[in-house]
Amino acid sequence: MRGPDRQAALARRWLSKARTDLALATVVLEKAPEIESWAACFHAQQAAEKALKAVLVARSVEPPFVHNLVALRALLPGDIDLDASVESLADLSAYARGVRYVSDIDGSEDPTWDEAKRAVVAAGRILRAVRSYLGLDAQ
């Protein structure tokens, strides 16, 4: 497979992984408090990141090895509406690494369940927006 077909197939694979991360984040919310809120936030961030990278791949751009959603957004075509503010992207970006570890250096706490719910909602909006932009709504 070459050219546009290959890029479309790769983008669908990125989106499949994004859907899985979003599903895992949702399961965490449903299992509260058996599973901690940080896990929902982490998987929500991963879903959003993979969705954004799917757009890049669909446009034949190699996605960079970054977790910063604001930086990834800057690489996307100008006509995509992610249904997410820069602030929301920045909030999600914070869940990429820090929440997975325990640190007393910055005095931060794990995200609240309300923050986890907001993260999952934001990631879901981003994934839907990307699917729509790539013409994958009906699939």
Side-chain angles (χ1 to χ4, degrees):
M1 193 179 329
R2 293 186 148 325
D5 290 340
R6 177 164 174 67
Q7 294 315 116
L10 287 172
R12 284 191 300 276
R13 288 180 60 201
W14 277 96
L15 288 173
S16 177
K17 291 181 182 291
R19 280 192 313 271
T20 297
D21 272 310
L22 187 59
L24 288 168
T26 302
V27 166
V28 172
L29 291 179
E30 293 168 357
K31 293 289 187 176
E34 294 173 42
I35 304 173
E36 295 181 12
S37 60
W38 67 264
C41 294
F42 171 73
H43 285 291
Q45 186 283 334
Q46 288 290 289
E49 179 181 329
K50 290 168 185 163
L52 299 184
K53 289 180 177 182
V55 175
L56 295 175
V57 167
R59 301 293 178 244
S60 300
V61 175
E62 182 69 27
F65 292 106
V66 298
H67 303 297
N68 184 320
L69 303 180
V70 176
L72 287 172
R73 171 63 181 103
L75 300 174
L76 299 181
D79 63 339
I80 187 170
D81 177 9
L82 293 178
D83 194 20
S85 67
V86 171
E87 180 181 319
S88 179
L89 294 174
D91 288 346
L92 279 171
S93 294
Y95 302 134
R97 293 180 27 190
V99 296
R100 295 183 293 158
Y101 304 102
V102 176
S103 173
D104 195 29
I105 294 172
D106 62 3
S108 64
E109 298 288 328
D110 283 341
T112 66
W113 283 106
D114 284 340
E115 290 169 325
K117 290 173 190 172
R118 284 193 300 273
V120 172
V121 167
R125 281 199 301 257
I126 292 166
L127 182 55
R128 281 189 300 279
V130 165
R131 289 181 58 76
S132 176
Y133 182 80
L134 295 177
L136 300 173
D137 281 342
Q139 296 179 6

